Amino acid sequence: QAQLVESGGGSVQAGGSLRLSCVASGYTHLMCWGWFRQTPGKEREDIAAIDSADGTVYKNSVKGRFTISQNRGENTVYLQMNSLQPEDTGVYYCAAALRGSCYLGFPEDFRGQGTQVTVSS
């Protein structure tokens, strides 16, 4: 059973940046990584995903501002978030799948506990 642990959340002002990290333990090869966020009263938003060949996909509203990347040797995925806006506020979760196609909202096998991101105006 893999465990995913996120870090890097915090509070920033609009226009600021944060870098989230997610480290996996228990499995050495995960086919697909992704990030999604949840805010009370809103549906889950799938933000970005990356596959084993470094192919990436993003939610339209974060394109050009967020970058997902990975270090497979360290079983770590990152989400660099720039030009943050108040609507980016939420709990950010890392998710991973052992197999299958990699796309926004892919069927996950594992997810982390979440890290809070708060953006003030």
Side-chain angles (χ1 to χ4, degrees):
Q1 183 78 7
Q3 282 192 319
L4 307 183
V5 179
E6 302 100 333
S7 61
S11 297
V12 296
Q13 291 192 324
S17 298
L18 285 173
R19 189 192 196 206
L20 306 183
S21 300
C22 175
V23 180
S25 61
Y27 275 91
T28 57
H29 182 76
L30 296 165
M31 180 64 69
C32 185
W33 295 86
W35 290 92
F36 67 91
R37 65 189 179 204
Q38 288 192 297
T39 305
K42 293 179 65 176
E43 290 188 0
R44 163 178 165 161
E45 293 182 278
D46 293 286
I47 301 300
I50 186 168
D51 64 22
S52 59
D54 284 335
T56 58
V57 60
Y58 296 93
K59 179 180 172 66
N60 283 340
S61 64
V62 307
K63 283 181 181 177
R65 299 189 299 124
F66 291 11
T67 303
I68 187 171
S69 61
Q70 62 188 333
N71 183 328
R72 292 244 165 202
E74 296 185 355
N75 281 341
T76 303
V77 66
Y78 305 96
L79 186 68
Q80 176 67 45
M81 305 186 294
N82 299 327
S83 302
L84 283 161
Q85 300 300 315
E87 53 265 34
D88 295 318
T89 294
V91 179
Y92 282 68
Y93 295 86
C94 171
L98 295 170
R99 62 190 61 83
S101 298
C102 198
Y103 51 90
L104 291 180
F106 61 84
E108 64 201 48
D109 293 303
F110 313 107
R111 69 164 66 172
Q113 81 290 348
T115 185
Q116 176 71 44
V117 171
T118 303
V119 185
S120 58
S121 56

